[in-house]
Amino acid sequence: MKSVTFKAMAGLTGGVLGWAIMEPSAPTNLADPAWNAWQIRFLLVVSALISLGVCAVSGWQKGSWAHVIRQSILGIVLGSIGGTLGVAVGDHLANGLMPGFNPELASTAIVAAIAWRTLALAPIGLFVGLGIGAAGLSVSRTIQGAIGGLFAGILSGLTFDIIGASLGHIILMSMGKNSGEVGGPSRAEFAALLGLGIGLFIGVAERIMRSAWVRLNLGRNEGKEWVIDRPQMSLGRAENADIPLRGDNLVAPTHAYIVKHGPAYMLADAGSQSGTFLNGQRISQAPLTHGDWIQIGGFALQFLMKAGAAPVRGPEMRQIAMPVGGYAPVGPGYPGMPQQQAPMQGNPFQGNPYQGIQNPSQQFPGSMPTQMQSGPVPSQSMPTQAISNPANPQASSSTYRFRLVTLDGAAAGQAFSVERAIEIGREVASGISVSQDPKASRVHARLSPGASGILVQDANSTNGTFINDQRVASQEARPGDILRIGSTNFRVESV
C-alpha cells in the first residue's frame, strides 16, 4: 500500500501548496467583483499542483526520471485543463439545479449549502482526476483517475461548509467583527482534502481495478510493481521503457514486450542477444499465466493476475513455451558463450520481431499456439559446470535434467548441474560451494533431482532456505523458481 500512501501525500502537499500560494491574494470584501476571477485562478493553481504531485509520484514509481518528467508535464497541463472544465461544469450544475441559491448568505440552511457546494465541487474533482489519469497514457488509468477524483470532489463538497460554519464564527470573534470574509480555513480544507482524496482514491482505484501486473522479485528496485494497463508494454534498460530494468548490461534497451490480446497476455522477446526466459525456458513468444516467472538478465519478475482472472499455471504447464534455438544467456556474466549467436533455422522472430510493426499484438491472433519444450538442450547451449565432479568441469549438459544458475555476486552467470544428490553450503566437500556468503551455513541444504524439478531439503541452516521468497524445509523447486541460500540467489533451469 506504499504506492497509495505516496500518492495521497503528494496530492495533499500539492493542494496545501496551492492554497498557500493563492490565499494571500484573496479579496477581503464579499462584495468585491474580483471574487469570481480570483476563485478561478485559485482552483486552477490548486488543480495544477495536485496533478503535478500525484503524476510525479506515478512517474517515480515506474522507476526512471524520464517517466517522472513526462508525467509531471502532462499532469500540469491536463490537470489545469481538467480544473478549468470542472469549474465550468460545476458552476452550471449547481446553479442549474439550485437557481438563485447563494451559499454565502448567513440565512442559508447548512444542508442546502452542503448540497450546492457538492454539486459545484464534485465535477472539479472528477475532471482533475480525469486529467491525472490521462497523463498515464492509458484508458484504464484515465477511468481510475476519474473515479478517484469524483470521490474526492464529493468528499470536499460535503465538508466545505461544515468547516466554514465551525470556524467562521470563532475567527470573526477573534477579529472583533460580526461579519466578514472568513473562507480561508474552508478553502484550506478544500484544497488539502481535494489533493489528499484525489491521490488516495486514485491509488485505491488503481489497486482494485488492476487485472494484471508484474512484480520485481530479484534485481535493482526489488519489490516494485508495474500494472499492465496498456495493450503493449516494453521491458528494457532504456529510461523510457514501460518497465525499466536498469543497471544490467545483459538487458537490452528494448528487451521484451508484454502484449495484451483480448483477455490473454503474451511475453515476446524483442530480438535481444541474451534472451528472454519464462519459467526457465528461453522463448521468442509465449502466453503468460498467473504466477509465471520472467527472467531478463539478472532480473527476475513474476507475472500476476487478479484472483479469478485466469487459471493458475499447474505443474503440467510450467514448461509450455516457444523455445528459441536452445541458447542460454550470453555476455560478460556468462563465461564460455560466444558473443554472437546464429538464429534458429526457420525462426520467424529473427532479429527484432517488432521491426516495422506498429502493433505487436497483431503477431498473436487467435489461440496463440504453444510448443512443449522436450529433450535435451542443443549442443550450442552453455556448458554446465559439474561441481560434483571437479575433474570434468565441461561435462555435457545433455546428460543432466536440471541446473542452478547463479544470479548475483561474483559468480553471477555460473551454472551448476544437479545430476545426483549433492549438498550446498559454505563448506561442502562435494557439491555447490557458496564460500563467500557469510549468511550461508557450512552445510546449508541438500539437493537432488526429482521428476519435475530439484528437491530442496534444508539442513537445519541458521538463516533458512527460501524458494520464491518462501521459507521451506523440504520442497521441490521447479524450472523458473528462485532458490535463495543465505544471500545468494539461484534460478532453476531444465536442460
Side-chain angles (χ1 to χ4, degrees):
M1 294 296 288
K2 286 184 179 179
S3 62
V4 177
T5 302
F6 286 147
K7 282 186 173 68
M9 291 300 101
L12 172 64
T13 302
V16 171
L17 183 60
W19 171 83
I21 291 173
M22 293 300 299
E23 187 61 29
S25 63
T28 57
N29 186 349
L30 289 173
D32 193 329
W35 263 112
N36 286 338
W38 182 87
Q39 287 178 346
I40 292 175
R41 292 197 303 273
F42 171 81
L43 291 169
L44 287 178
V45 171
V46 168
S47 300
L49 291 178
I50 290 173
S51 301
L52 171 62
V54 176
C55 288
V57 168
S58 295
W60 170 73
Q61 288 173 340
K62 288 190 173 182
S64 74
W65 281 107
H67 288 290
V68 172
I69 294 171
R70 184 184 69 185
Q71 291 210 218
S72 296
I73 294 174
L74 286 174
I76 292 175
V77 173
L78 297 178
S80 300
I81 294 173
T84 303
L85 292 173
V87 170
V89 172
D91 181 68
H92 282 82
L93 184 63
N95 291 319
L97 295 177
M98 301 177 69
F101 184 83
N102 187 349
E104 309 296 341
L105 296 178
S107 59
T108 299
I110 186 67
V111 174
I114 291 174
W116 188 94
R117 198 79 66 177
T118 302
L119 290 171
L121 298 183
I124 296 175
L126 169 65
F127 282 98
V128 172
L130 191 71
I132 293 174
L137 303 178
S138 162
V139 174
S140 62
R141 285 190 179 271
T142 303
I143 295 173
Q144 293 159 6
I147 293 173
L150 178 61
F151 276 110
I154 291 173
L155 187 60
S156 300
L158 292 173
T159 56
F160 187 97
D161 287 283
I162 295 175
I163 297 295
S166 302
L167 298 179
H169 183 65
I170 297 174
I171 295 173
L172 287 174
M173 288 182 59
S174 66
M175 298 171 61
K177 297 181 179 180
N178 293 323
S179 63
E181 203 289 311
V182 289
S186 293
R187 289 189 290 271
E189 176 271 340
F190 160 74
L193 195 57
L194 183 68
L196 177 67
I198 284 178
L200 175 65
F201 289 125
I202 285 179
V204 171
E206 287 175 355
R207 293 192 68 86
I208 292 176
M209 298 176 66
R210 66 182 182 176
S211 57
W213 65 99
V214 293
R215 178 186 300 143
L216 181 61
N217 284 359
L218 181 66
R220 184 177 178 180
N221 297 320
E222 285 182 19
K224 186 176 288 295
E225 295 182 349
W226 293 270
V227 178
I228 310 301
D229 56 3
R230 298 169 61 186
Q232 168 195 328
M233 294 188 66
S234 61
L235 302 87
R237 198 175 71 242
E239 281 279 331
N240 61 350
D242 296 307
I243 301 176
L245 304 173
R246 298 180 297 147
D248 187 343
N249 289 332
L250 290 177
V251 179
T254 301
H255 197 104
Y257 293 94
I258 294 178
V259 180
K260 187 176 188 299
H261 184 72
Y265 295 85
M266 293 287 294
L267 174 66
D269 184 74
S272 64
Q273 184 182 30
S274 59
T276 300
F277 292 77
L278 179 63
N279 298 325
Q281 299 291 325
R282 184 168 181 174
I283 56 95
S284 62
Q285 61 166 324
L288 286 166
T289 309
H290 175 73
D292 281 349
W293 285 86
I294 302 169
Q295 179 70 28
I296 293 178
F299 294 91
L301 306 99
Q302 191 171 25
F303 178 79
L304 301 167
M305 298 186 74
K306 185 182 295 185
V312 177
R313 185 183 296 272
E316 72 283 354
M317 298 179 65
R318 294 185 67 89
Q319 295 186 43
I320 293 179
M322 297 188 72
V324 181
Y327 294 100
V330 300
Y334 294 82
M337 283 298 296
Q339 294 304 304
Q340 300 293 330
Q341 62 186 45
M344 181 177 66
Q345 292 296 321
N347 175 18
F349 285 90
Q350 292 185 35
N352 187 342
Y354 295 107
Q355 187 172 9
I357 298 175
Q358 297 299 319
N359 182 9
S361 64
Q362 294 174 358
Q363 295 295 311
F364 315 125
S367 59
M368 298 175 293
T370 59
Q371 177 179 338
M372 178 71 77
Q373 168 96 3
S374 62
V377 174
S379 59
Q380 296 99 323
S381 60
M382 180 175 65
T384 302
Q385 186 175 1
I387 297 300
S388 58
N389 184 5
N392 184 22
Q394 298 299 325
S396 171
S397 64
S398 64
T399 61
Y400 310 136
R401 293 194 60 194
F402 303 103
R403 66 184 177 191
L404 296 178
V405 177
T406 312
L407 298 179
D408 43 27
Q414 191 171 11
F416 306 104
S417 64
V418 181
E419 59 174 337
R420 60 182 179 81
I422 59 174
E423 294 177 337
I424 182 170
R426 201 175 67 250
E427 298 178 11
V428 293
S430 176
I432 301 175
S433 174
V434 285
S435 58
Q436 303 300 316
D437 189 343
K439 292 186 177 181
S441 298
R442 288 182 298 174
V443 178
H444 198 104
R446 295 178 177 86
L447 313 174
S448 58
S452 56
I454 298 174
L455 179 62
V456 180
Q457 295 176 300
D458 184 73
N460 295 320
S461 62
T462 301
N463 295 314
T465 300
F466 294 79
I467 297 177
N468 299 334
D469 291 327
Q470 299 294 319
R471 187 166 183 166
V472 299
S474 177
Q475 183 173 314
E476 189 175 59
R478 294 168 175 169
D481 287 345
I482 304 299
L483 170 65
R484 185 166 82 240
I485 301 294
S487 59
T488 305
N489 291 279
F490 301 87
R491 182 181 67 243
V492 180
E493 293 184 355
S494 60
V495 293

